[in-house]
C-alpha cells in the first residue's frame, strides 16, 4: 500500500513528465544525468506552485465582495485567510526549491549537510529538497523532540 510520501513523489515525477531514475551499474552518484533529472523535477514543482499562487491572486480579486451580512463577510475572510496561509507555505517552499536548484548549479546537491554521505536517489525523489540523510534527519528530529519536552 503506497504511503502519502511515495504517492506525493510519484505525483512530482508525473508532474515533471519523468519516471523514477534508473541507476546504471557503476554509475557515479550525482552525475550529469541525475542532476538534470532533479533539476527538471524541481523546476516543474516550482512552476506548479507559482501557478497556484497566481490562481489564488486572481481568485481573491474575483471573489472579493462586500457582503452586508457579517456572517457572510466572516466566512469569506476565513476562506481568504486559509488560502493566504497555504500560499505563504508554498512561497517558503518555492524559496527552498530555489535554494536546492542553486545547490545543483554549485555541484553541492545530493550529499548530507551533516555527515557528508550520499542522501540517495530514491529519498531525493521523494523529498527533492532534502539536505540531510535519513539517519541525520532522524537524529535531528529526536533532538528537537527532546528540546521541546
Amino acid at each position: 500500500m503506497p504511503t502519502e510520501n511515495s504517492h506525493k513523489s510519484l505525483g512530482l515525477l508525473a508532474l515533471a513528465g519523468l519516471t523514477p531514475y534508473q541507476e546504471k551499474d557503476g554509475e557515479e552518484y550525482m552525475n550529469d544525468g541525475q542532476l538534470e533529472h532533479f533539476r527538471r523535477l524541481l523546476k516543474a514543482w516550482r512552476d506548479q506552485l507559482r501557478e497556484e499562487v497566481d490562481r489564488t491572486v486572481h481568485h481573491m480579486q474575483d471573489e472579493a465582495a462586500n457582503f452586508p451580512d457579517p456572517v457572510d463577510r466572516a466566512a469569506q475572510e476565513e476562506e481568504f485567510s486559509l488560502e493566504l496561509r497555504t500560499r505563504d507555505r508554498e512561497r517558503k517552499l518555492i524559496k527552498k526549491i530555489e535554494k536546492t536548484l542553486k545547490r545543483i548549479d554549485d555541484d553541492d546537491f545530493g550529499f548530507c549537510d551533516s555527515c557528508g554521505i550520499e542522501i540517495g536517489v530514491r529519498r531525493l525523489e521523494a523529498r527533492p529538497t532534502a539536505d540531510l540523510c535519513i539517519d541525520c534527519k532522524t537524529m535531528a528530529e529526536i533532538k528537537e523532540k527532546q528540546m521541546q519536552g
Side-chain angles (χ1 to χ4, degrees):
M1 177 173 213
T3 63
E4 185 177 312
N5 281 345
S6 69
H7 179 68
K8 181 180 174 186
S9 68
L10 291 175
L12 284 175
L13 289 170
L15 175 72
L18 300 171
T19 57
Y21 188 84
Q22 299 300 316
E23 297 175 76
K24 297 162 190 70
D25 288 337
E27 180 178 34
E28 182 182 339
Y29 182 69
M30 286 302 131
N31 61 42
D32 290 341
Q34 290 176 2
L35 291 174
E36 184 58 29
H37 174 78
F38 287 108
R39 188 177 287 115
R40 288 180 58 201
L41 178 64
L42 287 160
K43 285 181 177 182
W45 191 14
R46 179 193 61 193
D47 293 345
Q48 185 253 345
L49 290 170
R50 285 180 176 166
E51 288 173 13
E52 284 294 317
V53 170
D54 291 343
R55 254 195 303 275
T56 298
V57 169
H58 295 302
H59 168 71
M60 290 180 74
Q61 288 171 342
D62 293 344
E63 294 294 317
N66 192 5
F67 292 110
D69 183 359
V71 173
D72 291 340
R73 191 168 40 248
Q76 183 185 45
E77 287 175 7
E78 179 65 20
E79 177 189 339
F80 285 176
S81 176
L82 290 171
E83 284 187 41
L84 289 172
R85 253 185 289 176
T86 300
R87 295 308 159 243
D88 188 50
R89 283 193 302 272
E90 289 173 344
R91 181 185 54 78
K92 290 175 184 174
L93 184 54
I94 289 170
K95 282 184 178 181
K96 197 169 184 179
I97 291 169
E98 294 288 347
K99 178 182 156 197
T100 304
L101 284 167
K102 174 120 177 60
R103 289 183 70 157
I104 290 174
D105 292 340
D106 294 345
D107 203 25
D108 186 31
F109 176 74
F111 297 91
C112 179
D113 284 352
S114 183
C115 68
I117 68 166
E118 298 174 358
I119 293 175
V121 172
R122 295 297 162 244
R123 172 158 165 69
L124 289 169
E125 282 182 333
R127 186 169 300 278
T129 57
D131 51 15
L132 294 174
C133 68
I134 196 71
D135 293 336
C136 290
K137 182 64 175 175
T138 302
M139 290 303 293
E141 288 174 356
I142 291 170
K143 287 178 187 175
E144 184 179 332
K145 284 181 184 177
Q146 289 174 344
M147 296 296 281
Q148 289 175 355

